[in-house]
Amino acid sequence: MNLTSFLQDKHLTVALRGEIDHHSAKDIMRVLGNKIDLYLPRVCVLDFREVTFMDSSGIAIVISCVRRMRQLRGEVILRSVPPQPMKVLKASGMKKGALFMKAENEMTLTFPSRSSNESFARAAVACFAAQLDPNLEELNDIKTAVSEAVTNCIVHAYRDCLGTVTIRCRILPESVLDIVIRDKGCGMEDVEKARAPMFTTGGPERSGMGFTIMESFMTSLQVTSKPGKGTTVHMKRKIVQRRKTA
């Protein structure tokens, strides 16, 4: 059988391995369905890290699992999907917003906009990101981008008052760290102008390079803002998976 499984805290983790095709899929679906019916989990995690090949039969396995978990009002998470199976899943039209593409883990922090909390914020995100096993350069890039975003909240969003900063971090499929940093401060009228290198409203002690650094150090960056409502910075960083040796 091309799978092993374990149950912990109503989370059923099923590790698939080898080649998944028409021949193997029927047995996998049968055993997977029996385990869901037996354990009645809240979450079913399908771990693909040891799958070496998958055709459209793998899509049928995922759909079957999703249908069973919906009956239990539960959810399905795909974990560590290699490039070839992921390409098959994407070709089927399965999108990240679907039930089975939810975050593998997440955390939310809210703290006052004090400059003393900058180091806490980047350390907390770095600790959360550590589960993806980033190398030192990747970790430092993440910490730098978070530090820049939080500093913007403190220096620009709440110029003459104390407010709150919220950070939400998620681990997404394909080893992607998703970070959203939000404030409820003064907001910006012209986001594109604010993102331009060397532009700043923070005085001579600010370089105006914060957004440029975030964009350079992260895989993607989106900034939205409304005057009087606040600003949201949404960053993602793809972590390169290193081959582990025995």
Side-chain angles (χ1 to χ4, degrees), residues 42-76:
R42 290 195 303 268
V43 178
C44 181
V45 178
L46 298 180
D47 192 321
F48 282 75
R49 74 185 65 205
E50 294 187 19
V51 173
T52 57
F53 172 83
M54 188 183 87
D55 62 15
S56 61
S57 301
I59 299 171
I61 293 172
V62 174
I63 292 174
S64 174
C65 185
V66 168
R67 286 173 177 167
R68 285 179 179 265
M69 289 301 295
R70 278 179 175 164
Q71 293 174 352
L72 300 176
R73 298 184 181 277
E75 65 182 45
V76 178

Side-chain angles (χ1 to χ4, degrees), residues 28 41 53 57 76 93 113 157 195 212 243:
I28 292 174
F53 172 83
S57 301
V76 178
S113 58
R195 290 183 62 167
T212 302
R243 186 180 299 275

Side-chain angles (χ1 to χ4, degrees), residues 179-246:
I179 304 171
V180 175
I181 299 177
R182 182 180 294 112
D183 66 66
K184 296 180 180 179
C186 63
M188 295 180 286
E189 293 185 1
D190 190 336
V191 172
E192 291 305 313
K193 183 177 180 180
R195 290 183 62 167
M198 309 300 291
F199 177 82
T200 182
T201 59
E205 71 276 10
R206 304 301 302 163
S207 68
M209 294 296 291
F211 284 126
T212 302
I213 291 173
M214 290 181 231
E215 191 167 15
S216 298
F217 283 30
M218 302 297 277
T219 305
S220 67
L221 171 70
Q222 293 180 328
V223 183
T224 58
S225 186
K226 289 184 178 181
K229 298 293 185 179
T231 300
T232 299
V233 173
H234 188 181
M235 304 181 285
K236 292 183 180 181
R237 178 63 187 253
K238 168 75 173 178
I239 303 300
V240 178
Q241 295 296 290
R242 300 188 297 282
R243 186 180 299 275
K244 296 182 178 180
T245 57

